[in-house]
Amino acid sequence: MSSKNPGVFRGLVDFACELDSSLDAHLKTATVFKGTSKSIQNELLESMLEICKNKIKEEVKNADYLAVMCDETTDIYDNTQMVIVLRYELQGKPVERFWGFFNPINQTAEALSSVFHKELQTLIGDCPHKLIAQTYDGAAALSGVNKGVQTRIKEVYINAHFIHCYAHQLNLILGKATSQNTNVRVFFNSLSGIPAFFSKSPQRMAALENVAGHRIPRPSATRWNFKSRTVNAVHEMKDALIECCSTLEASNSRETGSAAAGIKRIVNDPEFEFWLEFFSKVMPHVDIMFSQLQSRNIDAAKANASLKVFNSAVQKLRDECDAMVLLLPPEQKRRKFKTDKLAAAKEVCDVILLQCRERFSFTNHLEASKLLLVNNFPVYAKNFPSNELEQAVAAYPMLEKDKLRTELTVLYTRE
């Protein structure tokens, strides 16, 4: 017990010993049943877990509706691990409860959904209508519209609509579109090397700022809008980048000179130039869409309108790919080069359009949520939102329309 970090359990025991001299004496002198062995610790933890789960089961049983959140990853031993979190209403307030870690046999949709079904059977086996929402990280095995976990769950729990962060959905769509083609992956790998090169040295960043007038976005491994900003920045300051790299080539640092020469070759590469021009046309539409989906005032109508405009813009860009290839410099108009780029560019557009249709297929929950926007209550008190109510009932048929209308009317007219 002399360790500075004995662990949570032993730490609590040490703390209890400071408060109880009898317990302290027992632990120091007893030869049997000290209660500190790892087997007893594990038994105590398992007992506490069982009590917590039984309490959660009782709360879920008394709740009218349930939503589940899930994510899967690998632990430090590379074993597949899956976590499930529950969300439901308790005494008039939404609560979230951690349900547990699980180890499916692999990361396929079949294995993950098998674990999910088993746990849901334990929780709401006799009331499948209770499950009204499921949300995952967007990975194909979980959120796939054809054979993903969300589809397999909805086959049994018909009210379990799949809901995902819309802005994150856009990230996943672009990630999917840009990972389909090897040349596109190479382009973005090369692109990420440019801000990485300049961000490693204040002197390099200052040199670029002196030539271009502003800095290039710092690298980020998680946010897609960083890639959008990088594409736009490199496209705008391409000539300044070449000029800056030409200067840095003569640096006293061999590492800086060599890397600057590499960046200069990348920026002048015909393949890189083509994709930079192509994505400089895609990214402004992505930025607008991302901003709209992040808006606090987003609703089903606005989301659908934004998606329609975005899809039209991508379709128009796809139709203009032929003209874009014709504008290539003479040395880039070799038949194979031109044909390959045209097919790849159209493929990117096609994947974006397909993924948009799949991932944004359900938006009625946004319309239903408008019924509870507090700032709209004064307006609703004078003009009841009948259209929103109809869409909410259509999305969640377990709702009693007349009862809900009465309750909402009372809610809207209260001070």
Side-chain angles (χ1 to χ4, degrees):
M1 292 189 185
S2 61
S3 171
K4 291 183 179 180
N5 183 21
V8 175
F9 179 81
R10 293 294 292 270
L12 289 172
V13 171
D14 290 348
F15 178 66
C17 288
E18 294 176 6
L19 303 176
D20 188 337
S21 58
S22 298
L23 175 62
D24 185 41
H26 170 76
L27 291 177
K28 288 179 178 178
T29 60
T31 57
V32 294
F33 196 70
K34 287 188 176 183
T36 57
S37 69
K38 65 179 182 180
S39 58
I40 291 179
Q41 289 184 43
N42 289 337
E43 288 177 6
L44 287 171
L45 290 172
E46 288 173 2
S47 298
M48 287 187 282
L49 178 61
E50 185 176 357
I51 291 172
C52 287
K53 285 201 165 185
N54 287 336
K55 178 65 174 177
I56 293 172
K57 286 180 186 178
E58 189 64 27
E59 290 177 351
V60 170
K61 181 180 179 181
N62 295 328
D64 292 326
Y65 306 112
L66 173 70
V68 292
M69 295 175 280
C70 169
D71 199 0
E72 46 85 26
T73 184
T74 54
D75 60 20
I76 59 174
Y77 299 106
D78 288 330
N79 295 319
T80 301
Q81 195 171 64
M82 176 178 176
V83 61
I84 296 177
V85 176
L86 310 175
R87 183 176 173 88
Y88 51 89
E89 178 265 335
L90 180 64
Q91 297 178 348
K93 296 181 179 180
V95 296
E96 290 185 4
R97 297 284 189 259
F98 170 77
W99 182 241
F101 287 109
F102 305 93
N103 296 102
I105 57 176
N106 53 50
Q107 291 179 296
T108 63
E110 183 178 3
L112 297 174
S113 59
S114 176
V115 174
F116 229 136
H117 279 301
K118 181 180 177 181
E119 298 307 314
L120 288 174
Q121 183 65 31
T122 301
L123 289 162
I124 54 169
D126 55 342
C127 302
H129 63 277
K130 273 191 177 184
L131 187 63
I132 62 170
Q134 50 178 323
T135 181
Y136 315 118
D137 67 353
L142 286 166
S143 64
V145 73
N146 295 318
K147 296 183 180 179
V149 172
Q150 67 122 331
T151 303
R152 295 168 184 261
I153 294 299
K154 197 169 174 64
E155 289 174 354
V156 179
Y157 302 90
I158 59 175
N159 296 325
H161 297 298
F162 172 64
I163 298 173
H164 196 285
C165 167
Y166 272 21
H168 190 194
Q169 288 277 39
L170 187 60
N171 289 350
L172 294 168
I173 288 170
L174 292 168
K176 183 77 172 179
T178 56
S179 65
Q180 297 291 95
N181 184 277
T182 302
N183 292 329
V184 177
R185 292 198 300 271
V186 170
F187 165 74
F188 277 104
N189 288 336
S190 300
L191 182 74
S192 63
I194 297 175
F197 166 72
F198 285 100
S199 65
K200 285 182 179 179
S201 166
Q203 291 77 16
R204 297 174 189 173
M205 194 68 82
L208 178 62
E209 192 171 8
N210 289 335
V211 176
H214 56 89
R215 300 189 175 192
I216 198 166
R218 289 184 176 273
S220 168
T222 57
R223 296 189 66 83
W224 236 99
N225 62 342
F226 154 74
K227 294 184 179 180
S228 173
R229 289 187 290 120
T230 304
V231 167
N232 295 333
V234 172
H235 185 261
E236 291 171 5
M237 61 170 64
K238 180 186 170 186
D239 293 338
L241 274 171
I242 295 173
E243 181 182 345
C244 181
C245 287
S246 296
T247 302
L248 292 174
E249 275 185 288
S251 169
N252 291 329
S253 168
R254 182 179 298 178
E255 179 187 358
T256 297
S258 175
I263 297 294
K264 185 177 175 181
R265 282 194 299 273
I266 288 172
V267 176
N268 282 320
D269 180 66
E271 183 97 21
F272 185 89
E273 287 182 320
F274 173 82
W275 289 116
L276 182 65
E277 184 66 27
F278 174 77
F279 281 106
S280 71
K281 298 180 183 298
V282 174
M283 292 309 180
H285 300 293
V286 173
D287 290 339
I288 294 171
M289 184 68 174
F290 190 91
S291 176
Q292 291 172 334
L293 293 179
Q294 289 279 56
S295 170
R296 293 177 62 88
N297 299 321
I298 191 69
D299 57 40
K302 290 179 181 178
N304 285 327
S306 298
L307 285 167
K308 187 175 180 180
V309 172
F310 178 73
N311 286 339
S312 297
V314 175
Q315 183 62 55
K316 182 180 179 182
L317 183 61
R318 186 191 188 281
D319 296 338
E320 293 174 349
C321 283
D322 294 277
M324 191 171 131
V325 171
L326 290 175
L327 294 176
L328 290 171
E331 66 272 15
Q332 296 183 26
K333 287 186 178 180
R334 300 188 307 273
R335 182 176 181 81
K336 188 175 188 309
F337 184 95
K338 185 170 66 174
T339 303
D340 290 349
K341 296 298 159 289
L342 179 61
K346 288 186 175 182
E347 180 186 24
V348 171
C349 295
D350 288 339
V351 173
I352 291 175
L353 294 170
L354 176 62
Q355 288 287 308
C356 277
R357 284 196 296 271
E358 290 185 354
R359 291 184 179 274
F360 293 108
S361 58
F362 178 68
T363 58
N364 286 349
H365 65 287
L366 292 176
E367 204 65 30
S369 68
K370 289 175 65 177
L371 294 170
L372 300 176
L373 293 177
V374 177
N375 293 337
N376 291 350
F377 283 7
V379 177
Y380 293 164
K382 298 177 181 179
N383 186 14
F384 189 86
S386 300
N387 290 336
E388 287 80 356
L389 178 62
E390 292 290 343
Q391 292 191 45
V393 174
Y396 303 101
M398 79 292 295
L399 296 174
E400 297 181 30
K401 179 180 175 182
D402 294 336
K403 181 181 178 181
L404 180 59
R405 185 185 183 96
T406 301
E407 292 175 345
L408 289 172
T409 300
V410 173
L411 180 64
Y412 296 154
T413 54
R414 291 177 63 182
E415 291 291 333

